[in-house]
């Protein structure tokens, strides 16, 4: 479904955080929704932090980190469920990658989002993860 209304992609500001937390909650990302102070701090300290807005309402968000030359790592990309399929995620990815065109984009994907990223031309790669207390 395409929309004719303009989508604004802009830099995150602290007043966006409640809307981002609602997206986390509606997606069932309990690891993020249950720690609002930590998640807000992550948004404040990320050098890639953007929202997609339409008619003053946040319909998607992207948080990541980059060294600006080699790697652009996307930590979270989340689009409101009722807005998926409209190109919002694609627009966020394209906007951010255009800011750092020499970088390679790396991100994790869930089993439900893998086919979306593959359709956008991303390829799977192997990686590892460990938290401090593991």
């Amino acid at each position: 479904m395409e929309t004719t209304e303009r989508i604004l992609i802009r830099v995150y500001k602290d007043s966006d955080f409640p809307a981002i937390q609602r997206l986390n909650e509606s997606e069932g990302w309990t690891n993020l929704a249950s720690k609002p102070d930590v998640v807000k701090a992550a948004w404040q300290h990320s050098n890639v932090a953007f929202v997609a807005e339409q008619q003053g309402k946040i319909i998607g968000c992207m948080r990541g980190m980059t060294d600006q030359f080699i790697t652009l790592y996307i930590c979270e990309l989340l689009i409101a469920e009722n807005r998926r399929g409209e190109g919002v995620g694609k627009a966020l990815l394209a906007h951010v990658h255009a800011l750092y065109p020499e970088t390679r984009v790396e991100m994790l994907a869930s089993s439900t989002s893998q086919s979306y990223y593959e359709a956008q031309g991303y390829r799977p790669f192997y990686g590892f993860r460990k938290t401090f207390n593991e």
Side-chain angles (χ1 to χ4, degrees), residues 86-99:
E86 297 178 13
V88 179
K90 186 176 183 177
L92 276 163
L93 285 165
H95 177 82
V96 171
H97 204 190
L99 294 173

Side-chain angles (χ1 to χ4, degrees), residues 10 16-17 19-20 23 51-54 56-61 80:
R10 63 168 175 78
D16 298 328
F17 188 71
I20 290 170
L23 287 173
V51 297
E53 180 182 294
Q54 193 169 53
K57 183 176 179 176
I58 293 177
I59 58 173
C61 59

Side-chain angles (χ1 to χ4, degrees), residues 6-17 20 42-53 58 60-64 91-92 95-96 99-100:
R6 186 169 179 262
I7 296 171
L8 172 67
I9 296 175
R10 63 168 175 78
V11 173
Y12 162 83
K13 54 188 177 189
D14 283 344
S15 61
D16 298 328
F17 188 71
I20 290 170
W43 274 88
Q44 292 169 330
H45 290 90
S46 295
N47 63 353
V48 174
F50 290 88
V51 297
E53 180 182 294
I58 293 177
C61 59
M62 175 188 287
R63 185 181 74 80
L92 276 163
H95 177 82
V96 171
L99 294 173
Y100 311 104

Side-chain angles (χ1 to χ4, degrees), residues 41-109:
W43 274 88
Q44 292 169 330
H45 290 90
S46 295
N47 63 353
V48 174
F50 290 88
V51 297
E53 180 182 294
Q54 193 169 53
Q55 295 185 331
K57 183 176 179 176
I58 293 177
I59 58 173
C61 59
M62 175 188 287
R63 185 181 74 80
M65 296 172 276
T66 185
D67 55 29
Q68 302 181 17
F69 299 96
I70 297 173
T71 304
L72 168 58
Y73 178 73
I74 305 302
C75 302
E76 290 115 30
L77 172 61
L78 185 55
I79 309 304
E81 188 172 4
N82 66 336
R83 302 306 302 269
R84 293 178 188 165
E86 297 178 13
V88 179
K90 186 176 183 177
L92 276 163
L93 285 165
H95 177 82
V96 171
H97 204 190
L99 294 173
Y100 311 104
E102 300 301 317
T103 61
R104 63 180 180 232
V105 176
E106 297 181 352
M107 68 184 93
L108 298 176

